[in-house]
Amino acid sequence: RDLRMSRGLGDVYKRQPYRVTPLPANHMNPSHQPFVYHIVDTREDKSVFYMHDSGYYFPEVWDYLKAQKKPADLFSFDTTLGYEDCGFKSTHMGAPEVIRLKEELEALGIVDKHTHCVMNHFSHNGHLLYDELVELAAPHDIEISYDGMKLTL
């Protein structure tokens, strides 16, 4: 099936060895059907949540997250707004919101000490340089992405 035609939640696309579940993103115009993704490598049961271009998650996405049977191996967060804190009222997030979101995910068991939590999807509008992001995120065990970054899950 074509992801552009997805209804989102509940649709699963299989392209061995991957299983991809699009989830509705809280981004700009909902009629454009924006998505974030849960990607599973079925060979090793590795789970990635690619959550860029989204503000705070919709209730149905939270329901999906809560239904997961094991913590994610990687959670990649939208951090377009840099140091800005919009109180989860934007269609993007800043570092303060990502830090609070990670705490929520930990409380639900979706993220644990083995999960790579990575701030990603930066914009010049965020007004932070790489080193400033590292300094902000490090106390919270959050990594900062960079071009060419490789992670072992």
Side-chain angles (χ1 to χ4, degrees), residues 4 16 100:
R4 291 173 295 167
Q16 292 305 326
R100 288 196 308 275

Side-chain angles (χ1 to χ4, degrees), residues 48 75 84 90 97-98 100-101 103 119 134 136 142 146:
V48 172
F75 219 103
E84 190 174 341
S90 176
E97 292 160 305
V98 169
R100 288 196 308 275
L101 183 57
E103 291 169 357
M119 286 185 184
V134 168
L136 183 63
I142 299 175
Y146 55 86

